Amino acid sequence: MVDASSLSDDDIRLLARGTLNAWETLGSGVGKLLLVYPVKVCKHCAEVHVGPSGHKARLCGVFKYESWRGTHFWKKAEVDDLVPPKIVWHRRPQDPPVLVDEGRGYYGHAPAVVDLCSKAGAIAPSKYSYMMKVDGLSAPLV
């Protein structure tokens, strides 16, 4: 492990670019694997099943506070089910210092990895522009 204070700005920028590339490669790779292998996730719990069909070995919602107690509710897995992006609010220069709940539709947000890498100097891929609302408005979807 390298001491962070010994890294130059160029080293940090390079590390951020590499991390962002790895994040994109991971998502792309999982997406391609999902096309080849059948993967299902339970809509109610964290159970994942790789293979031809979902199992019935363990009941879903076995705790009292879970109202759906019984069988799993399987759905086809997506990339975000297997590699969930932790979303953080992306504070832009024009936003107030304290973000309030009423402005949720106007504030930008992004996966934490993308936000962290962009703050370290990496350029976020254009597919995140509409989420981050960098210039204040959502970018058109392409």
Side-chain angles (χ1 to χ4, degrees):
M1 193 72 191
V2 177
D3 183 22
S5 61
S6 68
L7 294 173
S8 69
D9 287 345
D10 290 336
D11 290 339
I12 292 174
R13 206 170 296 115
L14 183 65
L15 182 63
R17 274 192 227 120
T19 302
L20 199 52
N21 288 340
W23 173 258
E24 290 296 309
T25 302
L26 174 68
S28 172
V30 169
K32 289 175 185 174
L33 288 172
L34 286 174
L35 296 174
V36 177
Y37 296 102
V39 179
K40 295 179 182 179
V41 294
C42 179
K43 196 172 181 179
H44 297 301
C45 70
E47 196 82 22
V48 177
H49 184 79
V50 179
S53 66
H55 67 78
K56 296 179 182 176
R58 183 179 147 255
L59 291 178
C60 179
V62 294
F63 300 107
K64 287 183 191 177
Y65 61 86
E66 297 172 323
S67 60
W68 59 84
R69 281 183 268 176
T71 59
H72 290 284
F73 186 73
W74 296 110
K75 68 171 191 143
K76 184 177 179 185
E78 297 173 2
V79 174
D80 286 349
D81 294 322
L82 302 178
V83 185
K86 298 295 183 185
I87 301 295
V88 296
W89 293 108
H90 179 76
R91 191 174 170 285
R92 304 161 301 170
Q94 67 267 28
D95 289 333
V98 177
L99 303 180
V100 292
D101 198 44
E102 291 81 33
R104 287 180 64 145
Y106 299 103
Y107 304 141
H109 59 280
V113 172
V114 175
D115 191 44
L116 179 67
C117 291
S118 67
K119 285 179 179 165
I123 298 172
S126 60
K127 73 179 188 177
Y128 296 109
S129 295
Y130 80 96
M131 292 173 71
M132 297 173 81
K133 300 180 183 179
V134 179
D135 295 324
L137 300 172
S138 297
L141 295 173
V142 271

